Each structure stands twice: as structure tokens, then as C-alpha cells.
Amino acid sequence: MSDSALWTALADPHRRAIVALLLERPRSVGEIVEACGLSQPSTSKHLKVLREAGLVRVRQDAQRRVYALDPVPIAALDAWLAPYRRLWNSSLDALGRRLDETSDDSGQPHPPKD
């Protein structure tokens, strides 16, 4: 699994939707097809990309294939994003402080000064 494969797999909005579904719980291909509104062949192609990138695992359950997220690559992505998250958090904290400074006791913003 390469970082490039992970980002390429997650670049597609349909695959991100599948990952979001699998975040809730493992699902069969049929459930994913129904939830995403894609055809079964299209869904299978997206699942193959996710599987080859290492983002999902599959297990056979009788006639069904059940997909689940693999937490290891998700943790690697989270670690890669950590410094950027800190950057955004400090920016959002600064915005919050600025908004607090410009609001009155009722929580309403002050009118602009001319």
C-alpha cells in the first residue's frame, strides 16, 4: 500500500461515500450498492480500488462478500494530516477569539463602525 494509492483511491467521491458507509459498520456489496445508488459492477470496481489501496478488507460470508474498513491505512492518513489539523485548529481558535472580541454580552455582533 503506497501513500499515492491511498490518495488516489480517496480522490473519487463515490469511493469516499463507500468509506463513509463502512465507517458505520461492515456491509455487503448489495448494501453498498443500495446505499450509494450505483450499479453493482460500478460498485465492485470502486471496492476493488479501495481493496487494492489497502483501505478495505473483504470476507466471504456464504454467498455474500462483506467489506470493512482497515484501520491501519486510515491511521497512517490521520498521522499525515496531524500537522495540517494543528494549523487549522490554531486558525479556527484565532477566528473564535476574534468573534468573541467583536460580540456584545448577548452574543450578537457589534454593528460595524463607520
Side-chain angles (χ1 to χ4, degrees):
M1 136 189 68
S2 72
D3 287 348
S4 176
L6 292 174
W7 291 112
T8 299
L10 292 171
D12 184 276
H14 294 296
R15 291 192 286 267
R16 288 194 307 271
I18 291 170
V19 168
L21 283 171
L22 296 177
L23 183 60
E24 297 170 2
R25 63 178 171 81
R27 295 177 187 262
S28 69
V29 175
E31 290 176 286
I32 297 168
V33 166
E34 186 177 318
C36 290
L38 300 171
S39 68
Q40 192 279 328
S42 179
T43 300
S44 291
K45 287 178 184 178
H46 287 301
L47 287 167
K48 180 181 178 185
V49 171
L50 292 169
R51 190 177 66 249
E52 288 175 350
L55 288 162
V56 299
R57 303 180 287 228
V58 62
R59 69 177 168 80
Q60 197 74 29
D61 180 24
Q63 299 295 347
R64 302 179 328 148
R65 289 180 183 217
V66 177
Y67 284 82
L69 282 182
D70 186 335
V72 173
I74 302 294
L77 290 173
D78 183 58
W80 188 88
L81 288 168
Y84 301 97
R85 194 175 302 109
R86 284 193 299 271
L87 172 71
W88 275 105
N89 285 341
S90 65
S91 296
L92 291 173
D93 289 345
L95 175 61
R97 285 189 301 275
R98 179 69 179 128
L99 291 172
D100 288 344
E101 291 169 4
T102 60
S103 66
D104 60 24
D105 291 335
S106 69
Q108 298 298 314
H110 291 292
K113 296 178 182 177
D114 293 328

